C-alpha cells in the first residue's frame, strides 16, 4: 500500500527515548560536584570510594550516575589512571549470581551463563581488573531489590576488593528510591556508606522541569512545533510527582499523537491524551517482569484488597487459591507462596510489612503501593488470558 504521510514534529526522536543519556543535566550540577568530591581520591590516589544516591523516581539518579562515570573517566585518565564503569539494574538482575554475571559480561560478552560458582566469578572479575589495569565503578541501581533478596554480602565483597594490594580497585555507587535502603547493609558495609557519602536527589520543581523539557525540545523537535504554553502544561502535570522521566515521556507521547494526525504541532489535547496513556503502559512494563505464578498471586491480592487498605497473608493465600481454580492452575504449596510474596515485595509491586501491635501475634500485612487494585486486576486478567490462548 502507499502510506498516508505528512509532517513529523520530531527531528530526532531518539533524544526523547528513555535511554538517551544527556550531555548536560540541568539542576544536577550540585549532585555531580558532590560525587566528584567523594570520588576524587579514586582519580588522584587510586583509592576506592563509595556513594549512595537516593531520591524518588525520575529525579535523575540513574542518569546522573552514568553521566558522572563518563565524565569522571576523563578526569581519571588525565591523572594517568584507567577507569571503567558498569551499570547493573538490580530489578532485572536479581541475586548475587546474576549481578556478577552481568558485570563479567561487560568484560567478556561470551562469559558462560552457567557453570561458574560465585567465588569463581569473583575470582574471574579480579583477574579481569588486574589484566586491564582499570579501576571499576559498579553502579548498583535499585539496590534495595538486591539487598532484600540476597542480603549485603556482595556489597561487602566489593567494598573489600583489591584490598590485599593496599588499594581498592572497585568503587560502588548504590542507588535507591529510599534512604532507608542503607539500613539493609551489614555494619561493616554500612561504615563505608556514611552520611557523608549520601547524595540526595530531591524532586524537581515545576520550573526545573520546564528547563529540562526545554533542553529536550531543542534536541528532539523541529522548531515551531511546540508552544511555550505546552512546555508549561507538561511541566505542570509532571510536577505533581517531580518526575523528569514522566515529563519526557509525556513529551514523546504527545509528539507521537500529533504525528498521527500529521498536525505538524503539538496541541494541549495531545498532552492530555499522552497523560491518559502513560499510567497504563507503565504498569504493563512492570507486569512484564513477573512470571505466571507471580501474576496469579498478585491477581488474588488485587481482587481481595479492592475496598481495603491492607489484607493479611492468610487472606492473600485464600484469594490466590480461588484464582488458581478459576484459571485451572496448580496451586503451589505454602512455602512457595511465601517466596512469591517476597519476590513481589522485592519488585515493589506489593508492600509486605510485619504488623505492629493490636493484631493477634505477628502477622504480615500486605498493601498495594500506589497502583489502583482494579487497574492491576484488569491488566493481569488480560495478560493471563492472552497467554492461554497462545498456548
Ligand atoms: N536534570 C536532568 N536533565 C535532563 N534530563 C534529566 C534530568 N534528570 C532526569 N532526566 C531524564 O529523566 C529520565 C529519568 O531519569 P533517571 O536518571 O532515569 O531517574 P531515576 O533513576 O531517578 O528514576 C531520563 O530520561 C533522564 O535522562
Ligand atoms: Mg533509575
Amino acid at each position: 500500500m502507499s502510506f498516508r504521510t505528512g509532517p513529523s514534529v520530531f527531528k530526532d526522536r531518539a533524544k526523547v527515548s528513555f535511554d538517551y543519556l544527556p550531555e548536560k543535566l540541568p539542576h544536577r550540577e550540585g549532585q555531580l560536584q558532590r560525587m566528584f568530591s567523594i570520588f576524587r581520591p579514586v582519580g588522584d590516589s587510586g583509592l576506592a570510594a563509595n556513594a549512595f544516591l537516593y531520591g524518588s523516581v525520575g529525579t535523575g539518579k540513574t542518569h546522573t550516575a552514568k553521566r558522572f562515570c563518563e565524565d569522571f573517566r576523563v578526569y581519571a585518565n588525565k591523572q594517568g589512571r584507567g577507569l571503567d564503569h558498569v551499570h547493573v539494574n538490580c530489578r532485572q538482575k536479581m541475586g548475587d549470581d546474576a549481578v556478577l554475571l552481568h558485570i563479567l559480561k561487560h568484560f567478556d560478552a561470551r562469559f558462560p551463563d552457567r557453570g561458574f560458582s560465585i567465588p569463581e566469578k569473583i575470582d574471574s572479575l579480579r583477574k579481569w581488573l588486574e589484566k586491564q589495569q582499570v579501576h571499576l565503578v559498579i553502579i548498583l541501581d535499585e539496590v534495595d531489590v538486591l539487598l532484600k533478596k540476597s542480603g549485603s554480602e556482595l556489597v561487602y565483597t566489593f567494598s573489600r576488593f583489591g584490598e590485599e594490594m593496599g588499594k581498592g580497585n572497585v568503587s560502588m555507587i548504590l542507588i535507591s528510591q529510599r534512604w532507608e535502603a542503607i539500613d539493609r547493609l551489614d555494619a561493616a558495609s554500612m561504615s563505608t556508606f556514611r552520611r557523608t557519602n549520601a547524595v540526595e536527589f530531591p524532586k524537581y520543581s515545576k520550573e526545573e522541569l520546564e528547563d529540562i523539557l526545554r533542553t529536550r525540545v531543542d534536541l528532539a523537535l523541529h522548531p515551531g512545533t511546540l508552544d511555550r504554553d505546552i512546555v508549561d502544561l507538561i511541566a505542570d502535570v509532571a510536577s505533581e510527582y517531580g518526575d523528569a522521566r514522566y515529563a519526557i515521556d509525556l513529551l514523546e507521547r504527545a509528539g507521537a499523537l500529533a504525528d498521527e494526525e500529521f498536525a505538524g504541532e503539538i496541541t494541549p489535547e495531545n498532552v492530555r491524551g499522552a497523560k491518559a496513556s502513560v499510567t497504563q503502559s507503565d504498569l504493563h512494563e512492570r507486569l512484564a517482569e513477573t512470571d505466571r505464578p507471580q501474576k496469579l498471586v498478585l491477581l488474588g491480592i488485587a481482587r481481595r484488597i479492592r475496598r481495603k487498605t491492607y489484607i493479611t497473608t492468610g487472606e492473600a493465600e485464600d484469594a490466590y487459591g480461588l484464582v488458581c481454580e478459576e484459571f485451572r492452575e496448580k496451586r503451589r504449596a505454602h512455602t512457595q507462596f511465601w517466596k512469591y510474596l517476597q519476590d513481589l515485595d522485592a519488585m515493589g509491586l506489593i508492600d509486605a510489612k510485619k504488623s505492629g501491635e493490636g493484631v493477634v501475634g505477628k502477622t504480615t500485612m500486605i498493601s498495594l503501593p500506589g497502583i489502583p487494585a482494579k487497574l492491576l486486576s484488569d491488566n493481569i486478567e488480560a495478560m493471563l488470558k492472552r497467554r492461554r490462548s497462545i498456548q
Side-chain angles (χ1 to χ4, degrees), residues 354-367:
K354 287 255 187 305
S355 73
E357 294 144 74
V359 187
V360 188
K362 276 230 163 164
T363 140
T364 299
M365 305 297 284
I366 298 170
S367 61

Side-chain angles (χ1 to χ4, degrees), residues 58 60-63 87 141-142 175 245:
K61 302 178 300 296
T62 299
H63 278 192
H87 173 263
D141 206 342
E142 309 282 352
I175 302 182
R245 177 179 176 144

Side-chain angles (χ1 to χ4, degrees), residues 18 20 22 24-26 28 56-63 204 212 216 244-245 248:
F18 75 97
Y20 167 71
K24 292 234 170 343
L25 295 152
R28 286 301 176 241
S56 63
V57 177
T59 53
K61 302 178 300 296
T62 299
H63 278 192
Y204 291 115
I212 292 168
R216 277 312 160 94
R245 177 179 176 144
I248 294 166

Side-chain angles (χ1 to χ4, degrees), residues 19-125:
D19 52 0
Y20 167 71
L21 180 61
E23 285 289 326
K24 292 234 170 343
L25 295 152
H27 304 292
R28 286 301 176 241
E29 296 86 359
Q31 281 77 2
L32 284 161
Q33 192 58 42
R34 281 263 301 130
M35 290 173 75
F36 177 71
S37 313
I38 295 168
F39 283 93
R40 188 165 185 172
V42 175
D44 292 356
S45 319
L47 298 170
N50 299 303
F52 174 61
L53 318 188
Y54 68 101
S56 63
V57 177
T59 53
K61 302 178 300 296
T62 299
H63 278 192
T64 303
K66 287 184 175 175
R67 184 77 263 155
F68 174 78
C69 289
E70 299 270 346
D71 295 351
F72 189 68
R73 178 165 49 87
V74 177
Y75 175 83
N77 290 353
K78 278 198 194 128
Q79 313 299 312
R81 288 177 205 283
L83 192 99
D84 197 356
H85 78 273
V86 52
H87 173 263
V88 190
N89 183 343
C90 300
R91 208 181 277 286
Q92 284 158 9
K93 309 282 165 202
M94 279 200 205
D96 291 357
D97 203 59
V99 169
L100 278 164
L101 185 63
H102 181 77
I103 296 171
L104 283 165
K105 281 190 189 276
H106 169 77
F107 292 101
D108 174 11
R110 287 170 309 171
F111 193 92
D113 289 348
R114 278 162 221 281
F116 289 90
S117 67
I118 289 184
E120 283 166 336
K121 287 196 178 84
I122 290 172
D123 207 44
S124 195
L125 176 60

Side-chain angles (χ1 to χ4, degrees), residues 14 64 72 97 122 128 131 133 191 204 216 233 235 237 257 271 294 352 355 368 371-372 391:
T64 303
F72 189 68
D97 203 59
I122 290 172
W128 272 108
K131 186 169 148 203
Q133 287 289 303
S191 66
Y204 291 115
R216 277 312 160 94
L233 176 62
V237 172
L257 289 174
V271 177
Q294 290 167 342
S355 73
L368 290 182
I371 312 164
Q391 282 165 351

